[in-house]
Amino acid sequence: QVQLVETGGGLVQAGGSLRLSCAHDGRTLKNSNMAWFRQAPGKEREIVAAIDWTGRSTYYADSVKGRFTISRENGEKITAYLQMRSLKLHDTAVYYCAARSATAVVTGAARYDYWGQGTQVTVSS
């Protein structure tokens, strides 16, 4: 059974930084593409960033380009990170980690098979 365990998140002032982590057992899901989505109250879930198995191919939503960085470490435990800088009020949302076993980075939530429990990120003024 694939379990994605998220850590990080919390309350930060606008302009600040946070780092989210998402880990899963590499023996249960190999060659995983991983992504971060977010959902603000009253809004649909949207992709924030995605990364392929190798780490060489990434995708960023326009709203976070230049501010967020997705990266990963591969091993027995596979961990994806989302470094968030210059946080803005509209970055406030529940952030979800997602994973799928495939070779290409995709952006649609329906394409991801496994999801973390979500972690709240709140940016205050």
Side-chain angles (χ1 to χ4, degrees):
Q1 183 178 359
V2 177
Q3 288 187 321
L4 303 181
V5 179
E6 299 176 22
T7 56
L11 176 64
V12 64
Q13 285 192 324
S17 299
L18 279 176
R19 189 175 81 158
L20 307 181
S21 300
C22 172
H24 73 80
D25 188 333
R27 295 168 295 181
T28 58
L29 179 62
K30 301 183 184 298
N31 301 332
S32 59
N33 285 348
M34 300 183 76
W36 290 95
F37 289 77
R38 67 186 181 187
Q39 188 166 19
K43 295 189 176 181
E44 292 188 356
R45 190 170 297 189
E46 62 176 3
I47 190 163
V48 176
I51 188 167
D52 76 341
W53 165 250
T54 66
R56 291 194 291 266
S57 179
T58 57
Y59 167 88
Y60 294 96
D62 288 342
S63 59
V64 306
K65 279 181 182 176
R67 299 189 299 120
F68 290 11
T69 303
I70 189 171
S71 61
R72 65 185 297 153
E73 293 178 350
N74 292 339
E76 281 196 4
K77 184 172 75 170
I78 295 172
T79 305
Y81 302 97
L82 185 69
Q83 178 67 53
M84 304 183 291
R85 298 181 177 89
S86 301
L87 283 160
K88 303 179 181 181
L89 296 179
H90 68 249
D91 292 319
T92 295
V94 177
Y95 283 70
Y96 296 91
C97 174
R100 65 193 291 263
S101 181
T103 56
V105 171
V106 297
T107 59
R111 304 287 296 274
Y112 286 85
D113 301 310
Y114 308 101
W115 291 84
Q117 76 279 11
T119 185
Q120 178 70 46
V121 171
T122 302
V123 183
S124 65
S125 58

